[in-house]
Amino acid sequence: MTENTSDSSLQDRRETVHEIIGRASIAMLTTQTSSGSLHARPLAIVTRDSEPGALYFFTGHPSEKTDELAAFPFVNVSISESKGYLSLTGSASVTRDPALIDELWNPGAEAWFEGGKTDPSVALIRVDLAAAEYWDTDKPALAKAVEFVRGLTSDHEPDMGDHGTVKL
């Protein structure tokens, strides 16, 4: 990939990242354990239009993952959806801000907390995004499969779509 640093290119790459996030509903949040190993778990993505550089995830607190975040706040968020993939890096924190919980509350969160949004264990993980690597394609699954087979049976690398990195 050739890195183009023009403002329009930077904005296009950021828009691609946000489009992939917008199409996804689940992400894998990877934290570091006290022993130094990595621990990934699926969480439902929540976003705010007013904060394009942040992702939120409802969680119970205290928990193993919130303990890990308190000790090692740097995380990876991986997203896979039908037209793209993301690997996001950032710094995470935990908040129990009732106004923010109220704003972001949704039926998916309701399923996890018996006491609703006032359940004393309800918290949000906020990930302030630093950088992203993305793979984006608008090709249908069949076309991607044909490209993959083409790569296996020839000297040509498959064209699986657009790939780039961007600081957020």
Side-chain angles (χ1 to χ4, degrees):
M1 178 195 89
T2 303
E3 194 70 34
N4 182 339
T5 57
S6 73
D7 288 342
S8 64
S9 174
L10 177 62
Q11 185 60 32
D12 288 348
R13 287 181 281 139
R14 285 181 177 157
E15 285 177 15
T16 297
V17 167
H18 292 291
E19 287 170 7
I20 294 170
I21 291 170
R23 294 189 304 249
S25 58
I26 302 292
M28 294 294 288
L29 175 70
T30 304
T31 58
Q32 184 177 344
T33 69
S34 60
S35 67
S37 64
L38 301 176
H39 186 180
R41 73 262 295 158
L43 295 169
I45 301 166
V46 183
T47 59
R48 295 174 82 197
D49 291 339
S50 62
E51 291 183 288
L55 293 179
Y56 289 89
F57 304 97
F58 278 99
T59 190
H61 180 59
S63 69
E64 182 180 43
K65 75 177 140 302
T66 59
D67 290 345
E68 291 168 359
L69 293 172
F72 306 101
F74 299 105
V75 298
N76 177 269
V77 177
S78 300
I79 295 174
S80 173
E81 56 84 35
S82 65
K83 294 184 178 183
Y85 307 90
L86 284 175
S87 177
L88 304 157
T89 57
S91 179
S93 58
V94 177
T95 180
R96 285 192 157 148
D97 178 346
L100 189 57
I101 289 169
D102 186 57
E103 175 189 339
L104 298 177
W105 193 254
N106 60 63
E110 186 79 37
W112 290 97
F113 299 98
E114 287 184 28
K117 58 183 146 185
T118 60
D119 188 309
S121 68
V122 173
L124 285 162
I125 296 171
R126 175 193 166 112
V127 178
D128 291 303
L129 301 173
E133 184 167 9
Y134 65 87
W135 296 263
D136 186 41
T137 181
D138 59 0
K139 294 180 180 185
L142 181 59
K144 289 188 275 189
V146 168
E147 281 294 325
F148 182 73
V149 170
R150 179 178 172 238
L152 289 173
T153 60
S154 71
D155 294 355
H156 300 288
E157 185 175 312
D159 178 8
M160 300 304 285
D162 187 27
H163 171 248
T165 59
V166 62
K167 291 205 181 303
L168 302 169

